Amino acid sequence: MNKKLDIKKYITATNILIIILLIFYFLDRFLPFPEGYTGYNAWDNECSAIENYIFGYCGGLLSNYMAVGKGLGVNGLEPYRQFTSTFLHGHILHLIANLVALYYIGNYTEKRFSWWLTYLVFFLVAFVQGFITDALYFAMAPDKIEESLSTISTGASGGIYGIMGLSLAAIFFDIKSIKEMDKTAIIVLAGYGFLTTYWISFGWTTICHNVSLLLGLALGTLIILPFFILKKGKFAPENKNLEEGSKNTIKT
């Protein structure tokens, strides 16, 4: 007998965000440019037309107004772009890598902390990390400032690393909770963390992901620590006898 498919369990904030990111990607890559448009065009002249359309090296209308990069929009460096660039991706492989990681870590974190707390951390880290990352990278590589400012920056990886940090904070306070994570999720996250930071790219991206992870870890610690102290710290009963004795205390 076939089990009835439970659609409701797939309606999560994470899965809704994944759909939103997919919509933004296809709109950005394939919306036609308006007449007289002179802004950013992602078309790669070194690739064939087929490659451009398959891999998404084309379009860029939304990127022109939402991504980060000196040559975009008015000047491409408006502060709001640190937030809006989270919804865009440079090409199909970039999108797939982020969506796979988001599906596993986002749904796990959402179940653990609630959807609103998960995505408060996600978007806060995605927005803040850009300002910290740029300052650090420019201090470490002053000769790369102009190149970095001119490079088009998009992607949800900053927010994803933020909620990865949130999850690590939870595991730090309760190591047994790692058993609640799906083994596939652990493998995907380990691979994602390594591949997107330490193998595929170095430089600004590495700093970006490290900063995002640390921000998520810090925020997660600040969120979890009060509950940890109340549950296991100085306010908790020291032993069972004390706990049982407290039940017999006369209220005044």
Side-chain angles (χ1 to χ4, degrees):
M1 184 176 179
N2 294 329
K3 291 184 179 179
K4 188 177 180 179
L5 182 64
D6 186 6
I7 299 295
K8 290 183 179 179
K9 73 176 183 178
Y10 294 103
I11 303 176
T12 65
T14 296
N15 293 343
I16 291 171
L17 178 58
I18 286 173
I19 293 171
I20 291 171
L21 294 179
L22 281 167
I23 292 171
F24 268 87
Y25 172 78
F26 285 108
L27 288 176
D28 184 41
R29 296 296 101 181
F30 301 111
L31 270 178
F33 296 130
E35 187 176 351
Y37 175 80
T38 58
Y40 173 66
N41 187 335
W43 190 271
D44 188 344
N45 291 322
E46 295 183 2
C47 296
S48 67
I50 293 176
E51 288 176 304
N52 272 282
Y53 285 119
I54 290 177
F55 292 102
Y57 303 130
C58 54
L61 182 62
L62 296 186
S63 290
N64 191 58
Y65 302 103
M66 296 172 65
V68 178
K70 195 173 181 179
L72 300 173
V74 178
N75 61 30
L77 300 178
E78 296 90 345
Y80 76 84
R81 291 173 180 268
Q82 296 292 351
F83 176 79
T84 56
S85 62
T86 301
F87 293 93
L88 304 175
H89 290 82
H91 51 79
I92 192 66
L93 298 179
H94 184 200
L95 176 74
I96 291 171
N98 277 350
L99 293 192
V100 169
L102 181 61
Y103 176 80
Y104 285 102
I105 190 62
N107 278 304
Y108 165 75
T109 311
E110 186 177 338
K111 288 178 185 176
R112 187 80 189 269
F113 295 103
S114 77
W115 69 267
W116 66 267
L117 185 55
T118 295
Y119 287 99
L120 175 65
V121 172
F122 179 93
F123 286 112
L124 183 61
V125 171
F127 178 70
V128 172
Q129 61 84 19
F131 302 102
I132 300 173
T133 297
D134 286 345
L136 285 174
Y137 185 60
F138 296 160
M140 295 171 64
D143 58 316
K144 300 281 188 179
I145 292 177
E146 192 60 32
E147 179 186 338
S148 179
L149 290 176
S150 300
T151 301
I152 308 302
S153 178
T154 60
S157 59
I160 294 171
Y161 271 79
I163 56 176
M164 282 173 65
L166 176 63
S167 298
L168 288 175
I171 293 171
F172 173 78
F173 284 103
D174 182 14
I175 190 65
K176 292 181 181 179
S177 67
I178 197 170
K179 294 179 180 179
E180 299 173 14
M181 292 189 71
D182 184 86
K183 289 182 179 179
T184 304
I186 296 173
I187 293 170
V188 168
L189 291 175
Y192 175 80
F194 177 75
L195 291 174
T196 61
T197 300
Y198 300 105
W199 185 37
I200 292 178
S201 60
F202 292 89
W204 185 89
T205 302
T206 302
I207 296 173
C208 165
H209 292 164
N210 288 342
V211 166
S212 298
L213 187 68
L214 290 174
L215 281 173
L217 189 60
L219 285 172
T221 300
L222 288 174
I223 292 165
I224 297 167
L225 186 59
F227 297 97
F228 178 79
I229 291 175
L230 290 171
K231 185 179 178 182
K232 298 180 180 178
K234 61 182 179 181
F235 300 109
E238 294 181 5
N239 53 53
K240 288 186 178 180
N241 292 330
L242 180 59
E243 187 175 356
E244 291 172 358
S246 64
K247 296 178 182 178
N248 300 321
T249 301
I250 299 175
K251 294 181 179 180
T252 58

